[in-house]
Amino acid sequence: EIVMTQSPATLSVSPGERVTLSCRAGQSLSSSYLAWYQQKPGQAPRLLIYDASTRATGLPARFSGSGSGTEFTLTISSLQSEDFAVYYCQQYNNWPRTFGQGTKVEVK
Amino acid sequence: VQLVQSGVEVKKPGASVKVSCKASGYTFSNHYMHWVRQAPGQGPEWMGTINPRGGITRHAQKFQGRLTMTRDTSTTTVYMELISLRSEDTAVYFCARDRSGSGLDAFDIWGQGTMVTVSS
C-alpha cells in the first residue's frame, strides 16, 4: 500500500498568515489522484481539493493545491479563524486508499 | 445531498456490529460508497467500498473475512458489518460517497459518523 506522510505534524500560526502543508506519497501517483480534507473536532472530514489541485464546490479561493508524482502541497493564502483544524491528504491512485496522519493547524 | 448513519454502538469483544448509512438527494446507484474508520486521535483508515449498482465490493486486506458491505437499493441504504470485534476496532465509522461514478475518485460527501466502542 502507498504510505502517505504529512509534515509538519503541527503548525502554530496566526490569523492572516500564509500556511503551507506538505504531503509525500511513498510511490508516484501517476494520475495525481490526491485529495485534501479538513476535519474539525467531532465532525466528519470535508473534501477541499481533489485531483491534486481542483477546489471542491464552494471552497474559498484562499485554498489551493499543487504538486505531482510524490510531492504535494496544500496552501492557505491567508488563514482565517475557521481554518484552524486538522488537514489530511489521501491518495486514490491505488488500492487500498490511504490517508496521511494529518497536520494540525493551531492558533499561535 | 446527505448521508445519515445509525447511532452509537457499544459491543463486547467477539461480537459483531452493523452500521447503516442512508443516502438521499442524489441518484443512489450512480456513486460508489466507501467506509472509513477513525480511531481516537488517529488519521482516517479506508476499509472498503461498494458499488450500489451491482453490489460488488472491494475491501482492505486487513479486514479480510471480517467485513461485509451490502446495499438496499429500495431504501438507498448501505450497510457495513464487522464481526469478531476487538478493542482495536473502537473507532468512529464513516460512510463516504465517491465523487464520480467510477469508484476512482475522492470522497465528496460524508456521513456524520457512528461511534463504535468495543469493551468488556
Side-chain angles (χ1 to χ4, degrees), chain B residues 38-103:
Chain B
Q38 189 170 29
Q42 303 298 309
E45 177 181 31
W46 179 80
M47 300 177 68
T49 187
I50 182 168
N51 180 352
R53 192 177 296 274
I56 302 298
T57 62
R58 185 175 198 136
H59 58 270
Q61 186 65 28
K62 71 177 289 184
F63 299 106
Q64 179 73 33
R66 291 208 302 141
L67 174 64
T68 302
M69 294 169 287
T70 56
R71 95 289 189 222
D72 182 340
T73 56
S74 67
T75 60
T76 65
T77 302
V78 295
Y79 299 90
M80 184 282 300
E81 182 175 25
L82 193 61
I83 67 172
S84 303
L85 290 169
R86 35 214 191 223
S87 59
E88 310 89 88
D89 294 317
T90 294
V92 178
Y93 288 75
F94 295 99
C95 57
R97 190 186 80 161
D98 197 272
R99 198 183 68 85
S100 73
S102 66

Side-chain angles (χ1 to χ4, degrees), chain A residues 94-106:
Chain A
N94 283 33
W95 302 101
R97 307 312 194 211
T98 48
F99 292 82
Q101 284 303 301
T103 292
K104 182 179 182 180
V105 177
E106 63 177 23

Side-chain angles (χ1 to χ4, degrees), chain A residues 5-13 19-24 36-40 72 74 76 83-89 99-106, chain B residues 43-44:
Chain A
T5 303
Q6 293 186 241
S7 60
T10 305
L11 204 52
S12 299
V13 297
V19 170
T20 300
L21 284 61
S22 295
C23 174
R24 174 175 293 176
W36 289 94
Y37 300 87
Q38 176 194 70
Q39 188 176 34
K40 296 180 179 179
F72 298 88
L74 175 69
I76 309 172
D83 302 334
F84 290 101
V86 180
Y87 293 83
Y88 295 100
C89 62
F99 292 82
Q101 284 303 301
T103 292
K104 182 179 182 180
V105 177
E106 63 177 23

